[in-house]
Amino acid sequence: MRVEYINPFVESSVSVIRETLGVEVKREQITLKSKAVPILDVAVIVGLVGQVEGRVLFDMKRETALKIASNMNGEKISEFDELAKATITELGNMITGRAVTKLSEMGYKFDVTPPAVFSGQNMEISDSEIEALIVPIETPMGRIEINVALREK
Amino acid sequence: MSDNKTPVGSKGDGTFFKALIIDDSVFVVKQLSQILQSEKFEILGSANDGIEGFEKYKELHPNVDIVTLDITMPKMDGISTLEKIIEFDKNAKIIMISALGKEDLVKKALISGAKNYIVKPLDRDKVLSRIETVLKK
């Protein structure tokens, strides 16, 4: 997978998290996975269809999701309820929106599916034809992994 | 907004503008409600999809002064909802709420009768100034 696809997602994740949550974030080492990848408790997934196709997933521990939702709502949220889900989805929306704008400016044409959020334990994701790049981002609320599997059609 | 300033939601005659929020995200509904209520707008109602939103608009008509309408929603999307509302009331004041990267849909909405648009993430000052512009037109 070409690194130029992943950079917009990493840059927008860092800037959106920094601006929206008002916290400092640190980007960790990128890893490349060609087989099944474990995903953390809460994940937002967005699909891309067009000249660039595949999916982008943002995952984090439930505890991190609750801290982020609490921060964004200005109130303590201790259950992963509708409001928490909508908040995490919205964060995914903001990150994707900014990344997609960058990719469009680079000349790629594609559509994006609305983000879907899912949660569970011991989950993993397999992409049969596209290898996944994972960029962990450390925040004071915990780690968020940006897991990108995209290819040019 | 300073404390001395007339709230954006004030009509200037002691009454306040009334808003309808149509958005499938409870987070965005909450965010918009807080921003508008802080400027004395009255939230007449909210709906989580286009079908419910159009029904609410008809039910509340002619009391709704401003509608915020999400572009991407289940059941009936923002563009179809906009068209239905405009067909019902050509004077409806509707502001589209869009994620970044949906410029084509925003253009389509403006052609179909939306008065303005706001791109998320929602910034308080941006939301209020766009709504104020539409209400003054």
Side-chain angles (χ1 to χ4, degrees), chain B residues 107-119:
Chain B
K107 275 184 209 156
K108 199 173 167 191
L110 293 173
I111 292 167
S112 301
K115 299 281 187 281
N116 213 324
Y117 67 96
I118 301 163
V119 176

Side-chain angles (χ1 to χ4, degrees), chain A residues 14-48:
Chain A
V14 169
S15 59
V16 167
I17 292 166
R18 195 178 275 154
E19 289 165 27
T20 310
L21 305 178
V23 295
E24 263 319 305
V25 296
K26 196 173 152 225
R27 184 176 155 173
E28 303 285 336
Q29 196 63 40
I30 295 184
T31 53
L32 180 67
K33 298 276 172 69
S34 54
K35 287 183 185 161
V37 187
I39 50 178
L40 302 170
D41 312 334
V42 173
V44 181
I45 190 163
V46 179
L48 277 75

Side-chain angles (χ1 to χ4, degrees), chain A residues 73-121:
Chain A
N73 283 285
E75 63 178 85
K76 173 108 180 124
I77 294 177
S78 30
E79 292 292 322
F80 196 61
D81 56 10
E82 283 307 310
L83 180 61
K85 283 179 199 163
T87 310
I88 297 300
T89 306
E90 196 50 35
L91 184 71
N93 234 333
M94 292 180 213
I95 293 172
T96 311
R98 202 173 281 190
V100 160
T101 302
K102 280 185 194 167
L103 278 171
S104 303
E105 283 166 5
M106 285 157 69
Y108 296 108
K109 294 207 185 315
F110 53 89
D111 285 322
V112 185
T113 63
V117 65
F118 58 98
S119 58
Q121 284 174 331

Side-chain angles (χ1 to χ4, degrees), chain A residues 20 72-73 75 82-83 86-87 90 93-94 96-98 100-101 112 114, chain B residues 23-28 30-31 34 72 99-103 120-122:
Chain A
T20 310
M72 286 175 70
N73 283 285
E75 63 178 85
E82 283 307 310
L83 180 61
T87 310
E90 196 50 35
N93 234 333
M94 292 180 213
T96 311
R98 202 173 281 190
V100 160
T101 302
V112 185
Chain B
D23 203 300
D24 64 325
S25 165
V26 285
F27 172 68
V28 175
K30 189 178 169 211
Q31 227 186 351
Q34 283 173 346
T72 316
L100 250 173
K102 305 267 180 203
E103 287 75 10
K120 292 188 282 189
L122 298 175

